[in-house]
Amino acid sequence: MARLHEYQVIGRRLPTENEPTPKLFRMRIFAPNEVVAKSRYWYFLSKLHKAKRASGEIVSVNEIFEAKPLNVKNFGIWLRYDSRSGTHNMYKEYRETTRAAAVSSCYQDMAARHRARFSSVQIIRVAEVNTADVRRPYIQQLIQPGLKFPLPHRITRPAKRSDRALIIAKRPSTFY
């Protein structure tokens, strides 16, 4: 699947004599491009309100960009997905730099753990979670202060290729 983008899609029913200025409906949709975003918008709108593409129009489609895409943040994602046995609600947490990257990770995770396809996963809400409010232990272990990752298997290499010996008498020591 391509990298996901976050879109703000605003649409409404077509104006009629009874309702000359119909109510606008705004949604934040995660999709690989604008065409898929519009399609998902009409899919969700037809489930939530009595509106469909034939009797409606898209007013605007804007891509939403992350304010600070270089900072690592914790995201909580509320979702709903259809499995082989039924429909399930779920809350998951991810540690990513952007909302779109967190949702991408969520789709990959749902495909891996639950065999849920893109079409069967519905993202309900995405929110940035404070460090103190993180619930899942697999994210809590990453936000500890002074976290270090060991380098268990390091092989020292010469600075230049010409300094490399073709045959060495002893095995390399790869642990420290």
Side-chain angles (χ1 to χ4, degrees), residues 71-175:
N71 293 4
V72 178
K73 298 170 275 296
N74 307 313
F75 291 100
I77 298 178
W78 287 261
L79 61 99
R80 174 183 165 184
Y81 81 100
D82 298 321
S83 69
R84 294 183 183 105
S85 58
T87 305
H88 311 283
N89 293 322
M90 199 176 280
Y91 170 76
K92 292 179 112 16
E93 287 178 346
Y94 296 94
R95 193 162 165 79
E96 290 284 350
T97 55
T98 64
R99 288 167 54 96
V103 171
S104 273
S105 295
C106 180
Y107 276 115
Q108 294 292 327
D109 191 37
M110 291 301 293
R113 293 179 196 273
H114 304 283
R115 303 294 185 264
R117 311 296 187 267
F118 179 81
S119 58
S120 64
V121 176
Q122 300 173 1
I123 303 295
I124 296 168
R125 183 175 162 222
V126 179
E128 193 173 328
V129 180
N130 292 330
T131 311
D133 300 332
V134 171
R135 299 186 215 168
R136 303 292 184 250
Y138 53 85
I139 298 297
Q140 284 176 344
Q141 69 183 358
L142 295 174
I143 57 178
Q144 294 172 358
L147 179 68
K148 294 180 182 177
F149 293 97
L151 300 171
H153 186 73
R154 291 188 284 181
I155 299 172
T156 55
R157 299 210 181 266
K160 295 186 290 186
R161 190 178 173 99
S162 60
D163 295 342
R164 180 177 63 98
L166 192 60
I167 299 170
I168 299 173
K170 63 182 182 115
R171 292 179 182 211
S173 174
T174 61
F175 59 91

Side-chain angles (χ1 to χ4, degrees), residues 2-4 17 23 35-37 46-47 55 57 68-70 78 83 89 104 106 108 111 133-134 137 140 176:
R3 193 173 145 262
L4 294 178
E17 290 179 8
K23 188 177 177 183
V35 176
V36 177
S46 65
K47 287 189 172 295
S55 61
E57 64 181 354
K68 295 181 180 177
L70 299 177
W78 287 261
S83 69
N89 293 322
S104 273
C106 180
Q108 294 292 327
D133 300 332
V134 171
Q140 284 176 344
Y176 294 93

Side-chain angles (χ1 to χ4, degrees), residues 23-43:
K23 188 177 177 183
L24 293 171
F25 298 106
R26 173 183 167 269
M27 282 188 203
R28 295 173 87 152
I29 305 283
F30 294 92
N33 55 44
E34 281 190 23
V35 176
V36 177
K38 289 182 200 176
S39 175
R40 298 294 285 172
Y41 172 80
W42 287 117
Y43 170 77

